Amino acid sequence: QVQLVESGGGSVQTGDSLELSCAVASGSIYSVTAMGWYRRAPGEQRELVATVATVTGGDRPTYGEAVKGRFTISRRSRSTVVLQMTALRPEDTGVYYCKAETRSGLESWGQGTQVTVSA
């Protein structure tokens, strides 16, 4: 497993932008095959926001339906992924969790960071 450090988040208004960052703080970065973000809205189950997998030929991003066209996930470095969120809506409010998956199938989660979008 790896340890993850999240940064970013905060309170914004509808239509604003935010950036979340997730870095591997410890553990073997070379064992990580995918990193990404999930979120949990109040009273809801955790859902996929965006992930990026390391595959032959480059990175492969995957997006949840609710954020397609508005959010972009990218690698800033081998150990850091960034989620750029634009055109934020109140329904994007929730706790955002970073997750890393390793080659052995283990999952590591960050502590979560709050994103609040007011109307």
Side-chain angles (χ1 to χ4, degrees):
Q1 289 185 315
V2 296
Q3 299 294 320
L4 303 172
V5 175
E6 301 157 332
S7 61
S11 296
V12 296
Q13 295 186 328
T14 298
D16 284 350
S17 300
L18 274 178
E19 182 177 282
L20 304 181
S21 177
C22 177
V24 176
S26 64
S28 174
I29 181 61
Y30 297 101
S31 69
V32 174
T33 55
M35 291 180 68
W37 292 91
Y38 291 73
R39 70 186 182 189
R40 177 176 285 154
E44 301 291 333
Q45 293 190 340
R46 191 155 49 190
E47 65 173 350
L48 168 70
V49 177
T51 64
V52 58
T54 301
V55 298
T56 301
D59 292 333
R60 181 182 64 202
T62 301
Y63 295 95
E65 287 297 322
V67 306
K68 283 182 178 178
R70 300 187 296 122
F71 292 10
T72 303
I73 190 168
S74 61
R75 285 191 186 276
R76 183 160 288 167
S77 69
R78 187 179 181 94
S79 62
T80 302
V81 295
V82 173
L83 181 69
Q84 295 173 307
M85 305 184 291
T86 64
L88 284 161
R89 305 165 180 168
E91 53 264 40
D92 293 318
T93 294
V95 179
Y96 284 65
Y97 298 90
C98 181
K99 186 181 88 167
E101 298 176 10
T102 66
R103 196 168 284 112
S104 62
L106 293 175
E107 296 180 350
S108 298
W109 291 89
Q111 294 294 316
T113 185
Q114 177 71 41
V115 171
T116 302
V117 185
S118 57

